[in-house]
Structures are given as structure tokens and as C-alpha cells.
Amino acid sequence: MARVFLIICMILAVAGLAAAQTITVPVSVSSGMTAEELRYIELTNIERAARGLPQLVAEPLLAEIGRAHSREMSDMAYFSHTSPTSSLKTPLDRYLAGELHRPTWALVGENLFYCSIVDVERGHTAFMNSKGHRENILEPRYERMGVGIYVNTKGEFYVTEMFLAKTD
């Protein structure tokens, strides 16, 4: 058990070193995003900067859509990219339902995280340790990102990261 704790502490220490870098999170408009939501975007942009990739702009619409999905997962007791709500089945469905002007082309990605406590650093580390989630974070075509967090009455932490590239 002590060995597992030491490994986790080492991972968190390494994550802390990366977090010491200064990255400004550009926001498309007044965001209304929480500090935790913006921290996920900051950590993503640190990873992207380290690899010479463009920074993602914080997108309030994506955060709003992500928050709704995080809350729905908590309220309906599921954890999946596929919603039981028929009109909002996929991440693309959820994005298009929230977008006022349907783009000509859109690429949408989604990362999900759940934890029994609020822990942004743990969530980001889990994403980077997962091939598919890391690919979303490092996809060079993405331009925008929103993070929607919902913490239920039991303190459970649901996170939906959404990524977007589009042509209007």
C-alpha cells in the first residue's frame, strides 16, 4: 500500500512541476467557467505547448454542454459517451443541439472522468495515461475546448471535456 501511495505522490509531484509553467487560457467570450474547469484547460494547454501544438481557446458553449452531460450522468446513474436521452446520444448530437448556427463541418471529441472526490490533477493525469483521452488532448486539429464539471450531493466529481474544430 505504501508503494502505491509513493507512486501516486510521484505522479502528482511530476504533474505539479508541469503545472508550474505559466499558460494563459484564451477565452472566446466571458466564460462563466469555474476555476476547476479553467484549470483542466490550462493543463491541456501545457501538454500541447510542450509538444509544439497550438493552444486551445476556452469555449463557454462547450463548457455548458459538458456540464449538462456531467449532471445527466450523475442524475441518471450512468457513465458513458452515449446518453440515454435520444436527441443527445453522442457528443456531436449534444454540440449541434447547443449550437445556434450549424457549422459546415465540425470535429468534436469528448473525455469523461469520474471520481469520488474533487481532484482536477488526478483527472488530468488519468486522461494523459489513457491513449484515447491523450489523443483527444493532443489532436492538432482541435481549436476550442470546454470543460463541464458537476459535483453531486455525495461529493462525486463528474467531468466532461469537450474539444472542437469547425468550419462555418
Side-chain angles (χ1 to χ4, degrees):
M1 185 67 150
R3 182 179 223 175
V4 171
F5 179 75
L6 177 61
I7 291 170
I8 290 171
C9 289
M10 290 172 55
I11 290 170
L12 293 176
V14 170
L17 290 175
Q21 299 174 351
T22 301
I23 295 285
T24 302
V25 177
V27 180
S28 62
V29 293
S30 177
S31 78
M33 289 183 226
T34 67
E36 291 85 3
E37 291 167 341
L38 289 170
R39 179 67 177 146
Y40 269 102
I41 297 170
E42 178 185 26
L43 291 169
T44 293
N45 280 335
I46 289 169
E47 299 289 354
R48 291 174 68 89
R51 292 159 178 84
L53 295 169
Q55 301 294 282
L56 299 177
V57 174
E59 176 59 56
L61 174 62
L62 296 176
E64 183 180 317
I65 294 165
R67 267 187 228 115
H69 187 61
S70 290
R71 182 176 189 132
E72 180 186 82
M73 288 189 296
S74 173
D75 290 351
M76 297 179 77
Y78 76 94
F79 185 75
S80 176
H81 296 286
T82 305
S83 169
T85 303
S86 61
S87 62
L88 303 173
K89 279 273 187 230
T90 69
L92 182 61
D93 291 338
R94 292 188 283 279
Y95 166 68
L96 291 174
E99 181 62 78
L100 294 176
H101 306 288
R102 188 179 182 106
T104 305
W105 174 86
L107 174 65
V108 176
E110 182 178 79
N111 287 344
L112 302 176
F113 178 73
Y114 164 84
C115 192
S116 60
I117 59 169
V118 174
D119 192 335
V120 173
E121 307 295 328
R122 180 183 295 186
H124 179 73
T125 298
F127 287 148
M128 290 306 293
N129 287 332
S130 163
K131 183 179 186 287
H133 296 98
R134 184 176 54 252
E135 286 173 352
N136 274 341
I137 288 170
L138 302 177
E139 170 55 59
R141 294 175 291 178
Y142 288 136
E143 302 159 344
R144 298 183 179 280
M145 179 182 182
V147 179
I149 293 175
Y150 179 71
V151 180
N152 66 20
T153 57
K154 296 185 274 185
E156 296 170 322
F157 183 58
Y158 288 83
V159 178
T160 302
E161 288 186 337
M162 293 196 71
F163 304 90
L164 174 67
K166 68 178 182 173
T167 303
D168 286 323

